[in-house]
Amino acid sequence: QGEKVIVYADTTSLVTITGNTGQVIRYGNLVTAAAGSISNTARGDSLTFVWRANGSEWNTIAAIGNWDL
């Protein structure tokens, strides 16, 4: 619990982050379905997640750019 992961899109290719079975990704007030995904829209986008084990959640605590759920 509390592990941080930083994702930075350094290329023009899309970056897609997918939760594992049973995990959700929270982005502000939006939440993916279990094993759902979030994708960037442009080079230079970044996300910082913190893991919450008791909720099986990756919580976004910082974001740059636009991300699609």
Side-chain angles (χ1 to χ4, degrees):
Q1 180 141 344
E3 293 293 323
K4 282 187 189 174
V5 175
I6 299 171
V7 178
Y8 176 73
D10 192 28
T11 69
T12 55
S13 299
L14 286 179
V15 173
T16 300
I17 302 149
T18 304
N20 202 355
T21 303
Q23 297 177 350
V24 298
I25 300 169
R26 289 191 173 274
Y27 181 74
N29 64 339
L30 304 174
V31 181
T32 67
S37 62
I38 185 170
S39 300
N40 75 312
T41 59
R43 184 177 189 168
D45 291 348
S46 69
L47 287 176
T48 303
F49 295 104
V50 67
W51 172 245
R52 184 172 171 241
N54 63 348
S56 294
E57 298 174 351
W58 288 101
N59 294 288
T60 305
I61 59 171
I64 295 174
N66 297 309
W67 293 80
D68 295 328
L69 276 82

